Amino acid sequence: MPNQLVVDLSRLQFGLTAAFHFIFVPLTIGLIILVAVMETLYRRTKDEMYREMADFWGKLYAINFVLGVVTGITMEFQFGTNWSEYSKFMGDIFGIPLAIEALLAFFLESTFFGIWFFGRERWPQLRALSAWMVALGTNLSALWIITANGFMQHPVGYKIVEIDGRKLIHLENFWEVFFNPNVWWMLVHTILASYIVGSFFVLGVSTYHFLKGVSGRKREFFERSFRLALTMAVLATLLTAVTGHFQGVNVARTQPATAAAFEGIWEGGKGVPFHLFSIPVPSQEKNILECCPIPYLGSLLYTNNPFGEVKGLKDFPAEDRPPVAVVTWTFRLMVGLGLYFLAVAVYAWWKYRKGGLEALERSPKLLKALLYTIPLPYIAAWLGWGAAEFGRQPWAVYGLMRTSEAVSPVSVGDVVFSLVGLTFFYGVLIVADIYLLSKFAKEGPHLEEAPGKGISGRPVEA
């Protein structure tokens, strides 16, 4: 049995590494879609404003992309340094999607990123195609990484073999692994969450310039950007709520202890209520301050049937339960933020449809809310990832390998050294990312001022 301190430190190191990396990933996935749409609109209309929009937002995307690549590479090294027992056990399955991700998705993304970013003036006819290929690469990358993670959440398509006295997982059915329902619900939910990050980033930067009183072509520039991002925000927040529900139903089917921890359900049964607020106390195996129960809603949320049966935490041995308090709070905060994003996006869309940009400018509190919301989708994405990963505990591979069995036989000192070094390294990258994004976002695009018309058809000042 490995030293528990090594287990805890290794978990902390990988958790911090993944959290740092996940600062870059959602914006990469979400922002490139908007850039690709701008490139397409320029290709179809030959309107120079769309080219300028793609150049400006594309520059911010490029900063985030380049720094994000570095964090992803070092994260994968940890499977060999800190989690070698896991790598030996899972290598036959885990290695395949990660290899495909590197050889197909990452090279597709990187190649077309180079064509799009460095060859935009030399091959203008490839601008839109290259942007969409980059977007495709980012989404394929997410697919293969989540394929590996989906197996950890719900192992399928495998058999256990024994080689030299060691039990290992052997891939038996690749397509069963690929079409694992955990993969696809998680994939769609994650990508939509990334679209929320990207859209609210553009909304926030645009409203920053509205609050500064931007005029002329810059006003038109940010109004068009705002409109595209607002459309994405409304669609993404609505669809995220829908896919989140079905992902919850799937978790209740494949990881019933995790689903019970989401809502702090200790006593299972049929027709379980949903409490709007509760505080779980694992040591007493109950909740305190339960309030506002909604009859049958708990069963409806996790079985699509108000009278469906939901298992409670007491149905599982204590050693097989996840850290209930952590899972409950991360899940509920994520859901609360998701509802907030939906409300803000729909309200801003309604205001804009009703009176255009002028109506929004008469609501400075709404504009400030959109500006200050920029970091919140990142936090929601972290919380969602935390709910899934903490919810799988105490398993590295659900039902097959405990986390305590997966770590490398290394010393505490080795883990501390790498933990401190990586934290410092990632801290520098995060500071650089925030500084560069803030600097260029506040600076805005460099446009030649000329009279024009906003997207609403109203003249804008020169």
Side-chain angles (χ1 to χ4, degrees), residues 243-269:
T243 58
H245 165 69
F246 287 105
Q247 172 67 355
V249 172
N250 186 65
V251 170
R253 181 180 62 85
T254 59
Q255 296 183 14
T258 303
F262 284 165
E263 301 297 347
I265 300 173
W266 294 96
E267 302 285 349

Side-chain angles (χ1 to χ4, degrees), residues 28-74:
T28 299
I29 296 174
L31 189 54
I32 189 59
I33 293 293
L34 288 169
V35 172
V37 170
M38 294 167 187
E39 291 284 14
T40 303
L41 290 171
Y42 170 64
R43 179 72 175 170
R44 295 185 63 181
T45 66
K46 303 303 180 184
D47 186 338
E48 285 296 314
M49 181 67 74
Y50 288 120
R51 180 188 64 79
E52 293 165 333
M53 290 165 60
D55 286 346
F56 173 72
W57 297 111
K59 178 168 63 176
L60 298 179
Y61 166 82
I63 293 169
N64 192 77
F65 172 78
V66 171
L67 293 175
V69 168
V70 180
T71 63
I73 293 173
T74 55

Side-chain angles (χ1 to χ4, degrees), residues 38-39 41-42 45-57 127 216-225 228 445 447-455 460:
M38 294 167 187
E39 291 284 14
L41 290 171
Y42 170 64
T45 66
K46 303 303 180 184
D47 186 338
E48 285 296 314
M49 181 67 74
Y50 288 120
R51 180 188 64 79
E52 293 165 333
M53 290 165 60
D55 286 346
F56 173 72
W57 297 111
R127 289 174 62 110
R217 293 190 74 237
K218 280 193 176 183
R219 176 185 169 90
E220 179 185 0
F221 176 98
F222 283 111
E223 186 177 358
R224 292 193 191 191
S225 300
L228 288 175
L447 307 176
E448 294 183 6
E449 288 296 330
K453 291 185 177 181
I455 57 177
V460 295

Side-chain angles (χ1 to χ4, degrees), residues 242-313:
V242 174
T243 58
H245 165 69
F246 287 105
Q247 172 67 355
V249 172
N250 186 65
V251 170
R253 181 180 62 85
T254 59
Q255 296 183 14
T258 303
F262 284 165
E263 301 297 347
I265 300 173
W266 294 96
E267 302 285 349
K270 296 182 178 180
V272 174
F274 172 82
H275 293 86
L276 291 180
F277 181 79
S278 62
I279 300 177
V281 182
S283 61
Q284 300 179 28
E285 294 191 333
K286 69 176 185 178
N287 298 328
I288 60 174
L289 298 178
E290 286 186 340
C291 71
C292 307
I294 303 176
Y296 306 108
L297 183 58
S299 288
L300 180 63
L301 290 175
Y302 287 113
T303 67
N304 285 328
N305 181 348
F307 304 102
E309 184 173 2
V310 176
K311 289 188 175 181
L313 288 161

